[in-house]
Amino acid sequence: MYKILRKKVLNPTVISITVEAPNAARLAKAGQFIILRVDEEGERVPFTIADANPQEGTVTIIYQVVGASTRKLMALNEGDYLADFAGPLGKPSEIEGENVVIIGGGVGCAIALPTAKAFHQAGKHVDTIVGFRNKDLVILEDEFKAVSDHYYLMSDDGSVGEKGLVTQKLEELIQSGQKIDKVIAIGPLIMMKFVCQLTKQYDIPTVVSMNPIMIDGTGMCGGCRLMVDGKMKFACVDGPDFDGHLVDFDAAMSRNRQYFEKERHDYEATCNLLNKKEEN
Amino acid sequence: MPNMRMDKNPMPAQDPNVRITNVEEVTLGYTPETAIDEAKRCLNCKHKPCVEGCPVNIHIPDFIAKVAEGDFAGAYEIISLTSSLPAICGRVCPQETQCESKCVRGIKGEPVAIGRLERFVADYMREQGEAPLAAPQRNGHKVAIVGGGPAGLTAAGDLAKLGYQVTVFEALHVAGGVLMYGIPEFRLPKSIVQHEISKLSNLGVEFVTNYIVGRSGTIEDLESDGYEAIFVGSGAGLPNFMNMPGEELKGVYSANEFLTRFNLMKAYKDDSDTPIQHPRKTVVVGGGNVAMDAARCARRLGSEVHVVYRRSLEELPARKEEVEHAMEEGIIFDLLNNPVEVHPDENGNVASVECIKMELGEPDESGRRRPIAKEGSNFLVEADCMIMAIGTSPNPLIRSTTEGLETNRKGCLIVDENEMTSRQGIFAGGDAVTGAATVISAMGAGKKSSSSNGSIRPEKSSRKRLTFSTSN
């Protein structure tokens, strides 16, 4: 059992928890992930490591409530326990390139932050572009600023930062003649796809962090497989980072919707159950 | 006087039409009466060929003699001398190619039902609430086992009985390996696996789950944590695909994924948090035991199931009993066929599998007749699910994060006659060494690593690492 030491609500649906998990904390690096089960009946769900503290023996994850398991996770508080917490999994991100632009979309920012931090600590020039739907959803602003040479905040509705998409800001930077060795995009598949379409035109190497459905996370099932450059890759062991210009995003988006109906159904059932519990 | 009946006592089974609606065990086991009656068929021959056929050399005629007397506790004691997991082996061993293939009674008639008797004894003792073995005196040496599958569990049990302080490191949230995620509930109830594992805990074996060797820590980390010897039983869990167009479509599963969802995560239950597709029509590709398991699981989810295999019924590598059970359950065998492409519907789901007809040519190196595609014989099989059960390979995680571990070109760890790898003090066994094989061969390897001829002797090598000597 793995104890939740700290819990912080970042916005109405995004929550940060710090979990006591010394084995996972010890070797964790930016870009890696863990798999947890909330309880004994729970499914195995992957979450990227947002922060790890080997001294304290803790791993922090930041998650958005999108379905049954994350809704159950939200119901837990400091001092409660998770049934399982395994990691670190996947390959760490490569911290290469002198001038990088790191793009985070929505809750993907939680994944982009440790990567930005790692580049910053390696003495690289780091510009970050983060995008949110509106001002209520903004997370980790101070944390990003602390590790960025320039920090650009975009919102779909203009309620905070600049109005527009992250790709608009990226194109602006490219056209201003700024030197960019590498772009790293982390967020919804559709956002990563459009970032890659843009950078392809300018021939800027682009790394994406893929988020397919996973079960074991150790390479034994291939549920997380992706087509990269026409070849089959398992995101949990070959990734999750890949050359964005080689990823088949349309296939990845299709695969991520495989259990959509069952997921909706379970989410509603869980919400009803938890709401009832809270009423009593 | 021995019972000279030619046939084995049959084992009752659930009616096929009923059992495809549940996940309860298909075969129901012997009663004390049928077990005693079957045990009396054993001639107790002097040269005991059956024992040689058993990879862990159970003293078969001795335990069967006890069963014939009705002394089931005595029988269990004899089995336990050499086997840690009889309730499992009695169910999943391919006895027809092992112990029972050597049985003298099999020359004229059917061999003695050794597997069923082993199973009966283990089940009887469990149901009676057998007294747990006391943890033996510790010898002060620490051993790490990487992987909680059949090989690791066997090595752990044997080493614990010899006084070693044993820790099993398991990547998943529960130990058992393929016994938990691969072999279905209706062939091997998970409560039985967990009972066998709890017996190891009673012996003092410690289990660390959610620990991925190669990621959560390396082999070197285990060495610096004071483990004097390490046994790698990490299996062959990496699924193979055919690299044909359409394998990325929704509805295409590796057998490992399909079985893991079904068995480990219990996705067949309505209230399970883990989803699984409930197909209408499933194509299972392959002809081994894993293909049979996947096919029978899909059947229990309500699907029509076709097993597509590129050779003929004769070459089918699955156990005969499993094939018969599958046929009774209405699974259709499309033999001498091979898939070449998967076609999607407009939403990226599997819509049909394009197959090609095969014919058998000359025998290849393995002695089996080589399947050859018949040019232009392509046809479409409508299906909404395809499960690939064409074999697995060893996972590269451990070999890629450990220096100096030699592997062959298939990625299998290379070991010497003492099951030691190219690194002093690191042993390996099971599928990690052989590639995908059987549960019992993995147990045999685990056993051989921990002890040969029933003896084990710690030796200090030049590098002050413990070695397991096999010399007496």
Side-chain angles (χ1 to χ4, degrees):
Chain A
M1 300 288 271
Y2 300 80
K3 192 175 185 180
I4 298 174
L5 294 184
R6 292 189 287 281
K7 177 179 177 180
K8 221 157 71 183
V9 177
L10 304 186
N11 78 27
T13 63
V14 177
I15 293 160
S16 161
I17 55 171
T18 299
V19 180
E20 195 170 54
N23 289 334
R26 211 153 54 90
L27 299 175
K29 297 207 169 53
Q32 291 186 297
F33 64 95
I34 59 94
I35 288 207
L36 66 75
R37 283 199 317 150
V38 177
D39 54 34
E40 282 304 323
E41 283 72 45
E43 61 179 335
R44 296 171 63 92
V45 197
F47 295 93
T48 304
I49 294 168
D51 198 11
N53 184 332
Q55 284 77 41
E56 194 190 38
T58 57
V59 171
T60 300
I61 59 164
I62 296 176
Y63 65 91
Q64 182 168 26
V65 179
V66 291
S69 291
T70 45
R71 180 69 183 80
K72 275 199 326 200
L73 192 53
M74 186 172 76
L76 297 183
N77 290 308
E78 289 176 3
D80 289 340
Y81 289 84
L82 300 171
D84 297 290
F85 197 89
L89 295 162
K91 286 186 180 159
S93 296
E94 288 177 5
I95 310 302
E96 282 165 9
E98 288 308 311
N99 300 288
V100 298
V101 174
I102 296 172
I103 302 177
V107 75
C109 288
I111 313 171
L113 180 63
T115 306
K117 211 182 203 172
F119 273 95
H120 179 72
Q121 282 170 353
K124 318 286 190 182
H125 180 96
V126 179
D127 284 357
T128 48
I129 307 173
V130 298
F132 299 95
R133 280 209 312 280
N134 62 53
K135 74 172 184 343
D136 297 332
L137 302 178
V138 175
I139 56 170
L140 304 170
E141 190 163 9
D142 295 338
E143 288 85 346
F144 266 110
K145 281 179 178 164
V147 298
S148 308
D149 291 86
H150 295 284
Y151 167 78
Y152 304 99
L153 172 60
M154 312 294 290
S155 62
D156 291 3
D157 64 356
S159 57
V160 68
E162 281 178 62
K163 183 172 163 46
L165 301 171
V166 291
T167 39
Q168 287 169 301
K169 177 54 73 182
L170 177 63
E171 187 151 32
E172 208 180 296
L173 294 185
I174 295 169
Q175 289 188 341
S176 75
Q178 180 173 329
K179 184 166 169 41
I180 302 173
D181 301 324
K182 194 199 255 179
V183 170
I184 297 160
I186 303 170
L189 285 168
I190 189 77
M191 180 277 261
M192 295 195 283
K193 176 183 170 175
F194 282 112
V195 168
C196 291
Q197 277 181 2
L198 176 67
T199 56
K200 182 111 205 221
Q201 292 168 31
Y202 296 95
D203 211 13
I204 302 171
T206 302
V207 173
V208 293
S209 177
M210 298 300 287
N211 51 10
I213 294 171
M214 289 187 186
I215 302 98
D216 61 286
T218 63
M220 65 169 248
C221 84
C224 66
R225 64 193 186 274
L226 301 164
M227 297 309 284
V228 181
D229 201 15
K231 296 184 192 78
M232 186 187 290
K233 298 282 177 192
F234 291 1
C236 72
V237 287
D238 300 319
D241 288 0
F242 290 99
D243 180 342
H245 293 158
L246 302 177
V247 169
D248 182 342
F249 282 103
D250 294 338
M253 281 188 269
S254 172
R255 281 188 67 78
N256 272 10
R257 292 179 62 84
Q258 179 162 11
Y259 300 106
F260 188 71
E261 275 169 37
K262 155 93 172 150
E263 284 165 356
R264 280 303 96 192
H265 173 266
D266 284 1
Y267 181 46
E268 277 156 30
T270 308
C271 288
N272 288 341
L273 190 75
L274 288 171
N275 291 342
K276 222 177 259 173
K277 255 191 209 161
E278 278 157 21
E279 275 167 30
N280 292 336
Chain B
M1 262 302 285
N3 171 352
M4 292 311 291
R5 203 185 55 248
M6 285 298 176
D7 300 338
K8 286 178 182 179
N9 254 338
M11 187 153 59
Q14 273 197 76
D15 180 272
N17 293 319
V18 174
R19 71 188 191 228
I20 58 168
T21 65
N22 65 47
V23 296
E24 305 301 313
E25 195 168 15
V26 166
T27 54
L28 303 171
Y30 281 163
T31 61
E33 294 72 31
T34 48
I36 291 171
D37 184 58
E38 178 66 25
K40 287 183 176 159
R41 292 185 62 230
C42 175
L43 302 177
N44 204 355
C45 20
K46 274 213 183 75
H47 62 305
K48 306 178 192 342
C50 53
V51 178
E52 280 160 51
C54 171
V56 299
N57 304 124
I58 293 177
H59 305 314
I60 293 166
D62 299 355
F63 100 74
I64 291 182
K66 292 284 182 194
V67 175
E69 289 167 23
D71 178 5
F72 305 135
Y76 186 71
E77 222 169 276
I78 293 168
I79 295 172
S80 299
L81 291 174
T82 53
S83 172
S84 314
L85 309 163
I88 294 167
C89 293
R91 287 176 164 79
V92 303
C93 272
Q95 289 98 6
E96 65 277 15
T97 61
Q98 296 178 331
C99 54
E100 293 181 18
S101 75
K102 312 267 178 170
C103 177
V104 169
R105 293 297 308 268
I107 299 168
K108 279 189 217 161
E110 286 189 327
V112 175
I114 301 167
R116 293 174 185 177
L117 289 172
E118 181 189 21
R119 165 185 168 163
F120 165 77
V121 171
D123 287 355
Y124 182 87
M125 293 307 287
R126 186 180 63 256
E127 282 153 18
Q128 299 296 307
E130 77 208 75
L133 285 172
Q137 176 123 30
R138 290 276 170 87
N139 64 15
H141 293 291
K142 280 171 73 179
V143 178
I145 309 280
V146 179
L153 293 178
T154 303
D158 287 358
L159 289 166
K161 282 181 197 162
L162 291 161
Y164 290 87
Q165 187 185 331
V166 182
T167 310
V168 177
F169 293 90
E170 166 60 46
L172 290 172
H173 56 267
V174 59
V178 75
L179 307 173
M180 288 304 288
Y181 74 75
I183 302 173
E185 180 80 19
F186 53 82
R187 278 217 292 141
L188 179 63
K190 301 309 144 206
S191 59
I192 291 177
V193 180
Q194 288 310 306
H195 176 81
E196 299 288 63
I197 290 173
S198 73
K199 288 197 314 199
L200 297 180
S201 299
N202 289 336
L203 284 174
V205 175
E206 200 192 325
F207 288 89
V208 179
T209 51
N210 296 316
Y211 191 104
I212 305 97
V213 174
R215 291 269 183 244
S216 309
T218 60
I219 294 279
E220 279 77 12
D221 289 330
L222 297 180
E223 287 179 335
S224 32
D225 285 348
Y227 291 99
E228 298 160 85
I230 295 166
F231 174 77
V232 180
S234 51
L238 189 76
N240 298 339
F241 285 87
M242 289 175 76
N243 298 315
M244 66 181 158
E247 276 178 318
E248 77 287 0
L249 294 172
K250 285 178 286 186
V252 180
Y253 289 89
S254 73
N256 267 11
E257 178 183 354
F258 196 79
L259 291 171
T260 298
R261 286 179 182 274
F262 194 99
N263 298 315
L264 183 68
M265 308 310 295
K266 305 201 178 322
Y268 56 83
K269 289 187 177 172
D270 283 341
D271 61 354
S272 168
D273 285 351
T274 302
I276 195 166
Q277 188 186 350
H278 289 249
R280 280 181 296 104
K281 187 168 164 186
T282 306
V283 165
V284 177
V285 183
N289 289 320
V290 175
M292 296 308 119
D293 286 344
R296 297 173 70 195
C297 286
R299 188 83 183 104
R300 281 160 175 75
L301 293 172
S303 180
E304 176 185 324
V305 182
H306 291 248
V307 170
V308 169
Y309 178 58
R310 60 192 183 140
R311 290 185 165 100
S312 69
L313 197 59
E314 234 168 86
E315 291 84 15
L316 211 62
R319 289 187 66 189
K320 200 165 153 260
E321 186 186 49
E322 304 311 327
V323 177
E324 282 167 8
H325 280 152
M327 286 177 167
E328 287 167 11
E329 289 167 11
I331 285 158
I332 301 153
F333 286 75
D334 294 341
L335 302 162
L336 288 165
N337 284 325
N338 209 25
V340 291
E341 182 169 352
V342 197
H343 297 283
D345 68 9
E346 65 281 6
N347 296 318
N349 298 301
V350 174
S352 63
V353 180
E354 184 177 334
C355 293
I356 191 164
K357 294 200 167 127
M358 310 293 283
E359 55 194 351
L360 292 180
E362 295 300 307
D364 60 15
E365 316 84 65
S366 73
R368 291 187 303 176
R369 293 177 66 190
R370 193 192 303 271
I372 301 161
K374 279 193 203 167
E375 210 60 45
S377 65
N378 300 40
F379 62 100
L380 288 181
V381 181
E382 195 197 316
D384 60 343
C385 180
M386 179 163 87
I387 302 172
M388 306 300 292
I390 52 167
T392 55
S393 322
N395 191 308
L397 196 52
I398 287 170
R399 65 174 191 261
S400 66
T401 55
T402 311
E403 271 183 42
L405 271 191
E406 281 175 26
T407 54
N408 68 16
R409 67 190 164 81
K410 287 183 175 167
C412 301
L413 296 171
I414 295 171
V415 295
D416 65 15
E417 66 279 8
N418 297 328
E419 310 280 303
M420 189 157 82
T421 65
S422 50
R423 274 190 53 172
Q424 187 75 35
I426 302 178
F427 299 77
D431 289 2
V433 169
T434 57
T438 59
V439 166
I440 189 66
S441 68
M443 289 188 189
K447 193 157 206 74
K448 195 172 160 209
S449 283
S450 57
S451 116
S452 178
N453 308 322
S455 77
I456 181 165
R457 198 171 66 198
E459 279 179 354
K460 292 286 175 191
S461 76
S462 56
R463 290 184 54 202
K464 300 231 186 285
R465 292 248 164 261
L466 201 64
T467 61
F468 298 140
S469 169
T470 57
S471 56
N472 283 311

